[in-house]
Amino acid sequence: QVQMVESGGGLVQAGDSLRLSCAASGRTLYVMGWFRQAPGKEREFVSAITWNGSTRYADFVKGRFTISRDNAKITVYLQMNELRPEDTAVYYCAARTVNTLSIGPERYDYWGQGTQVTVSS
């Protein structure tokens, strides 16, 4: 049984930084990534990384966010710098059992419960 637990969210001011972590267990997860969802909006892709380090980012976070992973710990991280109020959302960790990057949430097999990120102006 795969379990995924996010941590690292919080309340910060615009321009601040946060690092999100997602610890998983149960099996090898070839692709791990992050999505976010604001109230009343659809869940949207943020970033993802393959087992061997290939990455993809949404345009709105390029240059500000960095994704990384520790395969031994089955953990994925999201370093978020220069946070903006529009980054406010619940951030979800997700994983695929197929080693192909995707921006579609329907392509992901496992999900965490989410961690709240709130950025004040």
Side-chain angles (χ1 to χ4, degrees):
Q1 184 68 40
V2 172
Q3 294 182 315
M4 305 182 72
V5 181
E6 304 97 334
S7 63
L11 174 62
V12 299
Q13 295 183 334
D16 286 352
S17 298
L18 284 172
R19 189 174 81 151
L20 305 184
S21 298
C22 175
S25 63
R27 64 166 294 166
T28 298
L29 301 172
Y30 288 103
V31 175
M32 299 183 72
W34 295 92
F35 290 77
R36 69 187 189 186
Q37 188 167 23
K41 298 183 179 180
E42 295 183 349
R43 189 167 298 188
E44 64 179 352
F45 173 79
V46 176
S47 185
I49 184 169
T50 66
W51 184 88
N52 59 337
S54 180
T55 61
R56 184 170 182 175
Y57 296 91
D59 289 342
F60 55 81
V61 302
K62 287 182 178 178
R64 298 189 298 126
F65 294 6
T66 302
I67 191 170
S68 61
R69 66 185 291 169
D70 183 331
N71 292 336
K73 296 181 178 180
I74 317 179
T75 300
V76 64
Y77 306 93
L78 185 68
Q79 178 66 46
M80 305 188 294
N81 299 324
E82 298 296 325
L83 285 163
R84 306 165 180 168
E86 52 263 43
D87 293 320
T88 296
V90 176
Y91 283 70
Y92 296 91
C93 179
R96 300 190 72 196
T97 56
V98 176
N99 195 31
T100 302
L101 287 171
S102 176
I103 66 170
E106 71 279 359
R107 299 289 187 175
Y108 287 76
D109 304 300
Y110 304 103
W111 294 85
Q113 293 298 308
T115 185
Q116 178 71 49
V117 172
T118 302
V119 185
S120 63
S121 60

